[in-house]
Amino acid sequence: MQLVVARIGRAHGIKGEVTVEVRTDEPEARLAPGAVLTTDPASAGPLTIAAGRVHSGRLLLRFEGVRDRNAAEALRNTLLVAEIDPAERPEDPEEFYDHQLEDLEVVTVDGTAVGRIESVAHLPAQDLLVVRGADGGEVLVPFVSEIVPEIDLAAQRAVIDPPPGLLDEADAEAEAGPGDPR
């Protein structure tokens, strides 16, 4: 199975280094020197990591064969993709890979069916579960423990405890009552 682990940003300096936007919780394993990564677009790779370092809080990578700023800049916005075993799990039991969450059934804490997880949106503030309801509608569920208290991979189910208005605006208005300025 393939997993996007980073996106190449702008060139850094004149010796072929690039900044990367890390998209894995295990950069020390996935983005280590010697790692060979496929790319999207495929024409940019595969790329072998020659060196990596942190500079001013950003990860910088240098790839074999990329020796100058122009070659580094040509890689901008390329996705770095690692091959992983589909059965592999993150070390932390509270972490999940996107492919493990996709297609899980979503139910509320009282057992009401909501839909299925279609994808995971990675936003700067937090991740969102994109849930496709039985009616074809889309619900964006913040992937935080207060709202998603349980992920049961064995049962292929995610349990959510939605705040008022997350699933249905009519519910939020009914709870607010008349005259409430919500």
Side-chain angles (χ1 to χ4, degrees), residues 25-26 28 88-97 100 143 151 153:
D25 290 333
E26 303 166 322
E28 62 284 344
E88 183 179 333
R89 294 276 318 264
E91 288 181 26
D92 184 342
E94 296 297 314
E95 292 180 2
F96 304 93
Y97 294 129
Q100 293 172 311
F143 193 30
I151 298 288
L153 294 179

Side-chain angles (χ1 to χ4, degrees), residues 34 36 46 60 62 65 68 73 92 95 97 123-124 162 171:
V36 179
L60 302 177
R62 189 171 47 79
D68 61 33
E73 190 60 39
D92 184 342
E95 292 180 2
Y97 294 129
L123 303 178
D171 290 344

Side-chain angles (χ1 to χ4, degrees), residues 12-62:
H12 179 82
I14 61 171
K15 296 184 179 179
E17 286 184 310
V18 295
T19 62
V20 292
E21 173 190 316
V22 177
R23 293 189 181 176
T24 177
D25 290 333
E26 303 166 322
E28 62 284 344
R30 307 266 185 235
L31 301 172
V36 179
L37 303 167
T38 57
T39 61
D40 182 7
S43 60
L47 295 171
T48 302
I49 298 174
R53 66 186 178 102
V54 176
H55 175 72
S56 297
R58 289 204 59 98
L59 179 61
L60 302 177
L61 295 179
R62 189 171 47 79

Side-chain angles (χ1 to χ4, degrees), residues 163-166 168-182:
L166 181 67
D168 185 5
E169 288 185 26
D171 290 344
E173 291 171 10
E175 285 189 25
D180 192 328
R182 263 196 219 184

Side-chain angles (χ1 to χ4, degrees), residues 2 7 11-13 17 64 68 86 135-136 140 143 147 156 179:
Q2 295 191 324
R7 183 183 65 80
H12 179 82
E17 286 184 310
E64 290 181 8
D68 61 33
D135 64 356
L140 300 176
F143 193 30
I147 298 175
Q156 289 289 288

Side-chain angles (χ1 to χ4, degrees), residues 116-180:
R116 298 191 96 62
I117 298 174
E118 190 171 79
S119 63
V120 181
H122 300 281
L123 303 178
Q126 68 191 18
D127 295 338
L128 296 174
L129 300 176
V130 180
V131 178
R132 183 68 56 198
D135 64 356
E138 183 179 89
V139 178
L140 300 176
V141 178
F143 193 30
V144 295
S145 59
E146 294 81 15
I147 298 175
V148 186
E150 180 184 348
I151 298 288
D152 186 344
L153 294 179
Q156 289 289 288
R157 184 181 66 188
V159 177
I160 65 171
D161 188 5
L166 181 67
L167 299 180
D168 185 5
E169 288 185 26
D171 290 344
E173 291 171 10
E175 285 189 25
D180 192 328

